Amino acid sequence: MLSLGPGSDSFLPFLLPYPSAHCPLLGLPGLLGSVLPPTAFSVLCFLLTLSEVGSQNSKACALPCPPNSSCVNGTACRCAPGFISFSGEIFTDPLESCDDINECGPPSPVDCGSSADCQNTEGGYYCTCSPGYEPVSGAMIFRNESENTCRDVDECSSGQHQCHNSTVCFNTVGSYTCHCREGWEPKHGLKNKQKDTICKEISFPAWTAPPGIKSRSLSAFFERVQKMSRDFKPAMAKKSMQDLVGSVDDLLKNSGDLESLDQSSKHVTVTHLLSGLEQILRTLAKAMPKGSFTYRSLDNTELSLVVQEQGKGNVTVGQSHARMLLDWAVAAAAEESGPTVVGILSSQNMKKLLANASLKLDSEKLKETYKSPVRGAKVTLLSAVSSVFLSNTNTEKLDSNVSFAFALHEQPELKPRQELICAFWKKDSNGNGSWATTGCWKMGRGNGSITCQCSHLSSFAILMAHYDVEDPKLALITKVGLALSLACLLLCILTFLLVRPIQGSRTTVHLHLCICLFVGSAIFLAGIENEGGEVGTRCRLVAVLLHYCFLAAFCWMSLEGVELYFLVVRVFQGQGLRKLWLCLIGYGVPLIIVGISAGAYSKGYGREKFCWLNFEGGFLWSFVGPVTFIVLGNAIIFVITVWKLTQKFSEINPDIKKLKKARVLTITAIAQLFVLGCTWVFGLLLFDPESWVLSYIFSILNCLQGFFLFVLYCLLNKKVREEYRKWACMVAGNKYSEFATTTSGSGSSHNQTQALRPSESGM
């Protein structure tokens, strides 16, 4: 057997590709091949070629040939097989060199066949199977596709993989990947389905109560959540989700002290619940087996989800409350290769915590629609609140829109300034939340449902919005009219203070009535509107002051009825109440009512749109109740007064002068009661306007209050007119002597009357 001796193996890559076409034994390979092995035959050809080169070199060769070449004749050299020069295989330039030909590279690479790689060598090449493949024939190297017997190596079954024990090996063509076990997820910073994947068991996310919210019901709920977290096992993911939905239903159904929380705290709580539910359900769904799952609780809360490998096209998730259509590419997380989760949770019980939630308006769009500024909106929830959760957590701006169909639980008849809108719950920087419509729009309505599209994801619902559209004409009438009323009330106050001939107990009543109306109207004009929608300290203070001023005005009006009773019914038995008692009753009674109201329910002061009494819980009766009592009491007094006047007029010798004066006072008091009473009957409608006509009536009556009192108690009073005439002459610089002479007699008679009957001096 031919042996090349030690170290000959290092020449094999060079000897094996030696072409038989250049062998001196050309024509004998078939004969010698039956005797010699292929390797020995190649070695023998190589040695004989070297001997030929030696014999040629022994001849005179004028051109010195570079390495990897041989002399052709006295002027040319030929590159050895597997090498080539710049001029080609044969060259005559002594400065040229023979460089290796890369048979594995372009322009004409060697075809080793599929699953194989070409390896270039010095002057030759060979083929080997690609990593992850092995030759069936056992020959590790070959030269062309016909000799290729490579096939895939199953690293998983053969134990050649390096997957961590927290993963499962999956063989692929030419390689393998390591997948997390069911109920496990990749560790932070690692990806699933990689060779270096390391996984950890899915755990129940941490979820605690929102800070600053004190509620026993909420604390008990989160204690149950903590118990679920401690007992959680990935194999129990389905049961854990059902228990979580049931616990949320119990919290919302038996809310207990949650109902007593202020509006802001309720909205912080619901924001915390919605975001926490999305996170936990997304995590637990990863531990679920692939497929679809729907659960409906006893309280009609529904959970629907789909778990599967990311697909192409659209996916639909539906239930009785809502249906959702979106692209799989939207649902999949950007850097995760595990199963994709798409889910939706719909609850009707969230309505309790979302009552009176504010709505962020698209003011410019609404102004264009209604041709007038929109100050706010009252919203009514018409569908279940549906929270969407996906594997993709970056859902603020989606690559493609998501379509929804929400079932309506009510079929409202829309009135003017009302609209059905697609809204979502938007969290702010303080953990609070409100309804918003940006990025969502209504597509259509039919078959008891509303179709919407959104460019982002959150918690959604269908709302009926009743817009508070500002009427520029009404606003102008109110502001100008109140300014006129304030001017008239100020003139009344100055008149009652400076005109001495009319001083008396009834003038005192009129003075303080005008003071209360003046202060109340000024506060009304300056601060009745609550800008921003949040009921703060300023708004509550304005509401308290308005409550007090207007109650005090009605109390002073009731005191006028009492004075009229003493004047007419008991005209010969006394002079009425003293000034001290008048002030104690006129200012003390409303102070007691407001103090009790504020102490019992301070949150009753202030509303989203107006700084006035809240309609909830019957708190408005702290104003309507006393006003109704006063109006009815005065009405009874006036009936008795008219009856007494009728009797006195029918007497044999009636005091006609006194009776006429009493009749005039009664008529003016009744007219005053009618104007003030009617104004506030319509005034209640301003804070919850349903009719533009009634709002206009209130504004006009409210603006005419001061003017009416000025006409009634000043311009129609002869003594006051005389004083006005006197003041006018003094301002004009004219002497008043002539006027004083003609009126001195009447003036002295009035002074005598005032001294004798102070209670009648105001007539």
Side-chain angles (χ1 to χ4, degrees), residues 87-110:
S87 301
E89 183 180 359
I90 299 176
F91 58 91
T92 58
D93 187 353
L95 298 179
E96 288 198 49
S97 62
C98 293
D99 300 320
D100 176 53
I101 299 174
N102 185 5
E103 291 85 356
C104 298
S108 301
V110 174

Side-chain angles (χ1 to χ4, degrees), residues 92-153:
T92 58
D93 187 353
L95 298 179
E96 288 198 49
S97 62
C98 293
D99 300 320
D100 176 53
I101 299 174
N102 185 5
E103 291 85 356
C104 298
S108 301
V110 174
D111 187 8
C112 292
S114 62
S115 307
D117 300 320
C118 177
Q119 304 292 334
N120 186 60
T121 63
E122 187 78 10
Y125 74 94
Y126 63 93
C127 300
T128 60
C129 293
S130 300
Y133 295 85
E134 61 182 3
V136 177
S137 63
M140 303 304 296
I141 58 177
F142 50 92
R143 293 188 57 81
N144 51 52
E145 183 180 7
S146 62
E147 299 176 6
N148 185 342
T149 60
C150 298
R151 67 176 180 182
D152 176 52
V153 177

Side-chain angles (χ1 to χ4, degrees), residues 56 59-65 71-77 91-92:
Q56 291 177 1
K59 301 177 182 178
C61 188
L63 181 67
C65 295
C71 182
V72 178
N73 52 43
T75 61
C77 297
F91 58 91
T92 58

Side-chain angles (χ1 to χ4, degrees), residues 121 207 238 261 415 457 504 524 526 555 562 605 651 656 725:
T121 63
W207 195 20
K238 179 178 179 180
L261 294 176
K415 299 178 181 179
L457 294 179
F524 186 96
C555 281
V562 173
Y605 288 100
E651 291 179 355
I656 299 299
R725 194 176 295 114

Side-chain angles (χ1 to χ4, degrees), residues 294 301-304 317-323 344-347 386:
T294 299
T301 298
E302 290 189 75
L303 169 65
S304 299
V317 180
Q319 48 181 247
S320 63
H321 296 303
R323 296 182 65 83
I344 182 169
L345 174 70
S346 300
S347 172
S386 299

Side-chain angles (χ1 to χ4, degrees), residues 206-437:
W207 195 20
T208 57
I213 306 298
K214 296 181 179 180
S215 167
R216 293 183 179 179
S217 302
L218 201 61
S219 299
F221 167 76
F222 280 101
E223 287 178 3
R224 292 196 297 271
V225 172
Q226 297 304 320
K227 186 177 184 303
M228 291 182 200
S229 177
R230 291 190 299 268
D231 299 339
F232 176 73
K233 298 294 181 184
M236 303 166 53
K238 179 178 179 180
K239 183 178 184 303
S240 296
M241 284 193 286
Q242 294 174 346
D243 292 343
L244 180 62
V245 171
S247 297
V248 173
D249 282 343
D250 291 341
L251 172 66
L252 299 177
K253 185 178 180 180
N254 306 310
S255 52
D257 53 358
L258 282 179
E259 295 290 337
S260 62
L261 294 176
D262 59 79
Q263 181 172 313
S264 177
S265 297
K266 287 182 180 179
H267 297 164
V268 169
T269 301
V270 75
T271 302
H272 191 75
L273 286 175
L274 291 174
S275 59
L277 284 171
E278 289 179 21
Q279 179 187 1
I280 291 180
L281 292 174
R282 179 188 300 110
T283 301
L284 298 187
K286 295 178 181 178
M288 292 280 290
K290 296 182 181 64
S292 59
F293 168 70
T294 299
Y295 171 69
R296 183 171 184 174
S297 70
L298 296 177
D299 292 308
N300 204 26
T301 298
E302 290 189 75
L303 169 65
S304 299
L305 58 89
V306 175
V307 183
Q308 71 176 56
E309 298 294 335
Q310 180 181 349
K312 295 182 180 180
N314 296 328
V315 57
T316 301
V317 180
Q319 48 181 247
S320 63
H321 296 303
R323 296 182 65 83
M324 176 177 62
L325 174 67
L326 74 162
D327 194 327
W328 270 114
V330 170
E335 298 182 354
E336 291 187 10
S337 55
T340 300
V341 175
V342 180
I344 182 169
L345 174 70
S346 300
S347 172
Q348 291 179 295
N349 297 323
M350 287 287 180
K351 290 183 179 180
K352 294 183 178 180
L353 296 180
L354 293 172
N356 299 320
S358 61
L359 171 65
K360 293 186 180 298
L361 303 174
D362 189 347
S363 301
E364 293 300 324
K365 181 179 178 182
L366 290 173
K367 183 177 181 180
E368 182 180 347
T369 301
Y370 291 100
K371 310 302 180 184
S372 186
V374 177
R375 295 180 294 183
K378 180 181 179 181
V379 298
T380 304
L381 195 59
L382 299 181
S383 70
V385 179
S386 299
S387 299
V388 178
F389 55 95
L390 310 175
S391 295
N392 180 17
T393 57
N394 185 20
T395 58
E396 294 183 358
K397 180 62 178 178
L398 303 177
D399 294 333
S400 61
N401 297 332
V402 179
S403 299
F404 296 94
F406 298 101
L408 297 178
H409 299 146
E410 301 178 26
Q411 300 294 331
E413 292 293 334
L414 296 181
K415 299 178 181 179
R417 294 178 290 158
Q418 289 184 343
E419 180 186 10
L420 296 182
I421 58 175
C422 303
F424 67 96
W425 188 253
K426 183 177 182 180
K427 180 180 178 181
D428 60 23
S429 57
N430 299 323
N432 206 325
S434 60
W435 293 114
T437 58

Side-chain angles (χ1 to χ4, degrees), residues 2-17:
L2 178 64
S3 174
L4 298 178
S8 60
D9 291 342
S10 61
F11 293 97
L12 286 177
F14 175 73
L15 297 176
L16 287 175

